[in-house]
Amino acid sequence: MHRSAGAAGGEVWIYGKFAPGYARTAYACFDQPDLKAEFTFQVTVPAQWTVLSNQPPAAAPEQAAGGNAVWRFTPTPRLPTFTTTVVAGDYHVVTSSHATPSGQRIPLELACQADLAGYLDAQAPALFEATARGLDLYTDLLGAYPYAKYGQVFVPAFSAGASEDVGCVLISDQFLFRSRVTAAADEFRMMVILHEMAHMWFGDLVTVRWWDDLWLSESFAEFCGHLATARVGGFPGAWSTFSVGRKAWGFAQDRLPSTHPVAADTATLSEAIANFDGISYAKGASVLRQLAAYVGEESFFSGIRAYIAGHAFANASRADLIAAVAANSGKSLGDWSQAWLRTAGFNTLHCEFQTDASGAFTEFAVVQDASASHPVLRPHRVAIGLYQRSGDVLTRTRLVEVDVTGPRTVVPELAGTTQPDLILPNDGDTGFVMVRFDPRSLRTVIESIGGLDDPLARAVGWNALIDMVQQAELPVPEFVAALAGGIRREPSVSVLQALLPQAEQIMRQLATPENAAAGKRLLADAAGQLLHSAEPASDLQLAWAQLLGWTATSADQLDLSAGLLSGDVAVPGLPVDTGLRWPLLQRLAAAGRVGDAVIGAELARDPTPAGQRHAAACRAAIPDAGHKEAAWQQLVDGRLGMEDLSVVARGFALPEQAGLLTPYPARYLGALREIWPTRSGHLRVLLGDLLFPYPAASQELLAQIDEFLAADPAEAGPDPSMVRVLTERRDTLRRALLSRALPGRRPDPPG
Ligand SMILES: [Zn+2]
């Protein structure tokens, strides 16, 4: 049970967040997914409180002794323990109802902490509309809504984005917008809403037998969330956003030594918690998307409906799902299931060709590689796009579909075709497969990726460049140069806002301090120009201001940030509200331009929990040893929630401040040992990443981690989830050291 209190201490907000195995910390139970039960909640609280739960109340609350009231809820149907919840405190509730096309009437509720009521009232019509559209689509695709009501509660200090409690979804209050946001944030919120709603069927109604089938919950919710966002959520480009953002997360996870099959072998709850990752969400969703295309969407969903009907209020496993889809499609899925669900790692495609004197292909083949640790080749149906460059426009001159099987697939129809400026394997991004370019194509992508019209083609290019920089095949400065050029021509703010956080992470983890500073200066230059040329009040204008927020480096750029904050610089159509003020201020703090007094004054303007979090991040960014030490203490002392930790850690570990972070590599392992026994599973995994002092980490930390991992496990007994975190950090650090040693710019390849 989580408890938050208002700044004055009078208001209290409590909620139960039990996924995936914490119900037993709140009440006595057998806390595993295949032991479902019916629950009847009876809650005694102070009389002025509001209580919500999975079911509606059976009657009005009854007054009880001592100024209390008793809330009795109707009994639930059979639920897994981790989807039960009780929410109690000073909450504000808005209700409505929706009738689906099949005539089912579903009561709806929205709630938030009472002091945010104004924001909820303003956003409730849009939120109810989104909910209604999602319910219409899902009841059509998946079957009747199985529960008594559908509630969504915005809760403070939540340890995840949202969680799928039956009929009472908990959503982080960061999704209750308090300042103007871009369409990208709106799109992401829509996806989260529709993801959680899909869990009512996948996870809640039909529950995994054990966590090795976590993908049956998360991959499906991720797949349905994006499908619904694109189809009914008002964001038809949701799959391109997915390709640049979530899918890149899947690739990043899949290249780590800890990678696992989508359907993983999971012995313990701690291993299950570690598997709430890019594989179970993004790779799994990509694979399901492919399965739907392979058997046809109609027979895919008729198989899914049979699976849901056959296991409603009970449990199921991978075999049940595959059998249901196979029976409804008439296709045997044994080989498919083995190749995509039961093996780890991804394949890389590149093109191999010879040309004659005129520059025409004499032979053209697609070559498939697999990593040495997961040497599995898979069948891929992909398109190869050929593009000609003219100025900065890339025009597709040819698109050939290829069934890639085995290590080398010859494409006879391309013989005789003139070698173009860009050959793009996996054009259209239909497969979960990485690509590499021939030298001429690579140069075209780096110089002109923004010239690709199709957002899915650009996504393939971006994911390849990100993978290359992650693998130390492309120097960070070269990646940043491609980015600074490409973003100027990116029309989708959602794609931008999926791409830019990855650039920030690449700089934090991989770049030298000099390259990080130079890279930020280059991006801030683009941001400053684009901010002034963007259409007033457009989403892109806000996105450029936000980019300036974390990149301003040179004196001119910092002057612009300071001017926006003070109001001395006004950009028509750009309100400098709370959401923008904090990042601008944090950058000034990082540059040493403002200190505690100015940060304190800003906190007085925004004395909310979010304001406190951002003020702490600003103080963490101040470039002196004392502020770094104070921030480190805050990160390890156990009082900050998940969102606070992420925000403060971003202020603490700035790559251009590597010199100030030199004491922390030596303290990392000790801090982790202290944290592990006392924090919840998700929190300690997060801390294992957030505390890792990438900017200052060197070969020495690598050696310390190796020594730690080599210790006799029977003696030291490190938790397997800690071993996993360390193995992942070690791998990223190893690649960072390789990347930092690369020459600044690779020589131009021969034309
Ligand atoms: Zn989920």
Side-chain angles (χ1 to χ4, degrees), residues 164 195-196 199 218 221 281:
E164 64 265 29
H195 173 115
E196 299 309 326
H199 272 310
E218 293 308 344
Y281 285 72

Side-chain angles (χ1 to χ4, degrees), residues 22 123 136 170 214 376 385 387 440 484 493 496 656 690 696:
Y22 302 113
Q123 291 165 58
D136 285 353
L170 305 183
L214 176 63
V376 182
Y387 293 80
R440 179 165 158 192
V493 74
L496 276 174
E656 57 276 35
L690 293 180

Side-chain angles (χ1 to χ4, degrees), residues 24 186 394:
R24 67 183 185 278
D186 234 352
L394 288 168

